[in-house]
Amino acid sequence: GIASVFAGHPLDTIKTRLQAGQGYGNTLKCVLTVYRNESLAGFFKGMSFPMASIGIYSSVVFGVFSNTQRLLSQLHHGDPAAAPSLADLTLASVVAGVISVGIGTPVELVKTRLQMQTQSYTKANLKLNSTVPGSPVYRGPIHCLRTILQKEGLPGVYRGNVAMLLRDVPGYCAYFIPYAMFCDWITPHGSISPNAFSIWVAGGVAGAISWAVSTPMDVVKSRLQADGVYLNQYKGTLDCMLQSYQNEGLKVFCRGLMVNTVRGFPSSAAMFLGYELSLKAMKRCQTETNP
């Protein structure tokens, strides 16, 4: 999980700026603007909170998916280790997507707020309750979370949860199902389990597909969660969708599509490879301990 965050966060910052920011133009212009104004550190804004929480988040999501899949296989085939059907994979993905929102929304909110804060926090140039775009607002992730709680309460911490639900449920279906299919397709005939290369490729392809599917609602999520750093523009998910469409047309929902797709491959490849290899290592240790 940590490897996937580190590999994907710089592009995630570019994606968020393209989706929720103003004046960045295309991807290359956004990269150059961030580097020119904020140096390399600008690409890693808001990374500490996802890094600290990714272990819990990933273990819950993968655990819920795997256990739901095993439960469905037990119910339908009488064997939890039986190959799941497409319907079982879909239902397990939906459950994982729903559960992920409860854990992921506060993390995504803090990450997005910090990514959209274009200056470092310094007491010397911070005016009380400053809302001027570009002015520093948050000292770091804990200060950001505490500030949101104080100003907006618990509902503020879960701002954008509906958009995240609409993003993550289809997104996880397009994540786990292609992964299972590609693993099965590229695993050498006669092998009991896929090799590391098969896992890496399948995970990367699944990540790219998932983010391509998720991008339209990811735009809405980013805009809702970035809203509030300096201004309050949107009343909710539907209002954000309508305002975005009225102002920029349908193309607005494809903002960050290329970045999301490119970022999805290495981060998801690292995630699935780490997950599968960790499982194999733990099973091997268990076998050696309890022969």
Side-chain angles (χ1 to χ4, degrees), residues 138-173:
Y138 309 116
R139 286 196 294 265
I142 302 302
H143 179 251
C144 178
L145 188 60
R146 189 168 66 243
T147 302
I148 294 169
L149 275 169
Q150 289 171 348
K151 291 184 176 181
E152 305 171 51
L154 192 60
V157 175
Y158 280 88
R159 183 172 179 80
N161 61 342
V162 174
M164 272 197 71
L165 190 67
L166 295 174
R167 181 195 74 170
D168 286 0
V169 169
Y172 274 115
C173 288

Side-chain angles (χ1 to χ4, degrees), residues 175 178-187 194-209 264-274 276:
Y175 190 57
Y179 172 72
M181 293 174 66
F182 272 95
C183 260
D184 184 59
W185 180 48
I186 62 182
T187 298
N195 57 36
F197 178 75
S198 298
I199 294 168
W200 185 83
V201 172
V205 171
I209 293 171
F265 191 101
S267 61
S268 295
M271 179 76 78
F272 274 107
L273 187 59
E276 295 286 3

Side-chain angles (χ1 to χ4, degrees), residues 5 25 39 62 65 95 105 162-163 166 215-216 231 246 249 257 266 278:
V5 172
S39 74
F62 276 80
F65 172 77
V95 173
T105 302
V162 174
L166 295 174
T215 293
L231 303 169
Q246 288 167 357
L257 175 62
S278 297

Side-chain angles (χ1 to χ4, degrees), residues 5-213:
V5 172
F6 192 80
H9 194 83
L11 285 176
D12 185 72
T13 299
I14 297 304
K15 177 268 297 183
T16 302
R17 295 284 180 90
L18 285 171
Q19 290 177 342
Q22 298 292 329
Y24 288 104
N26 57 33
T27 302
L28 180 59
K29 184 182 176 183
C30 184
V31 171
L32 293 174
T33 301
V34 172
Y35 179 73
R36 185 167 55 247
N37 295 338
E38 304 164 62
S39 74
L40 280 175
F43 297 101
F44 293 93
K45 278 189 173 180
M47 190 173 77
S48 58
F49 204 31
M51 285 274 277
S53 59
I54 189 66
I56 297 171
Y57 177 82
S58 297
S59 63
V60 169
V61 170
F62 276 80
V64 167
F65 172 77
S66 297
N67 284 297
T68 303
Q69 180 185 293
R70 288 170 64 83
L71 176 63
L72 293 171
S73 293
Q74 176 68 46
L75 290 173
H76 295 156
H77 309 291
D79 180 9
S85 64
L86 180 59
D88 291 347
L89 284 172
T90 303
L91 184 54
S93 301
V94 169
V95 173
V98 171
I99 297 298
S100 74
V101 173
I103 304 169
T105 302
V107 177
E108 285 280 314
L109 176 67
V110 171
K111 174 181 71 69
T112 301
R113 292 284 176 96
L114 291 174
Q115 285 174 327
M116 293 306 297
Q117 178 175 270
T118 55
Q119 292 182 14
S120 300
Y121 179 100
T122 55
K123 290 185 178 180
N125 65 356
L126 177 69
K127 295 181 180 178
L128 188 63
N129 297 324
S130 173
T131 56
V132 179
S135 62
V137 179
Y138 309 116
R139 286 196 294 265
I142 302 302
H143 179 251
C144 178
L145 188 60
R146 189 168 66 243
T147 302
I148 294 169
L149 275 169
Q150 289 171 348
K151 291 184 176 181
E152 305 171 51
L154 192 60
V157 175
Y158 280 88
R159 183 172 179 80
N161 61 342
V162 174
M164 272 197 71
L165 190 67
L166 295 174
R167 181 195 74 170
D168 286 0
V169 169
Y172 274 115
C173 288
Y175 190 57
F176 288 116
I177 295 173
Y179 172 72
M181 293 174 66
F182 272 95
C183 260
D184 184 59
W185 180 48
I186 62 182
T187 298
H189 184 69
S191 296
I192 299 174
S193 60
N195 57 36
F197 178 75
S198 298
I199 294 168
W200 185 83
V201 172
V205 171
I209 293 171
S210 174
W211 276 110
V213 169

Side-chain angles (χ1 to χ4, degrees), residues 206-245:
I209 293 171
S210 174
W211 276 110
V213 169
S214 303
T215 293
M217 286 312 301
D218 190 46
V219 173
V220 178
K221 188 276 305 178
S222 294
R223 292 189 166 205
L224 278 171
Q225 293 187 330
D227 191 38
V229 178
Y230 302 114
L231 303 169
N232 284 291
Q233 182 178 354
Y234 307 116
K235 297 176 183 176
T237 303
L238 184 59
D239 181 52
C240 180
M241 293 171 69
L242 290 173
Q243 283 197 49
S244 298
Y245 173 71

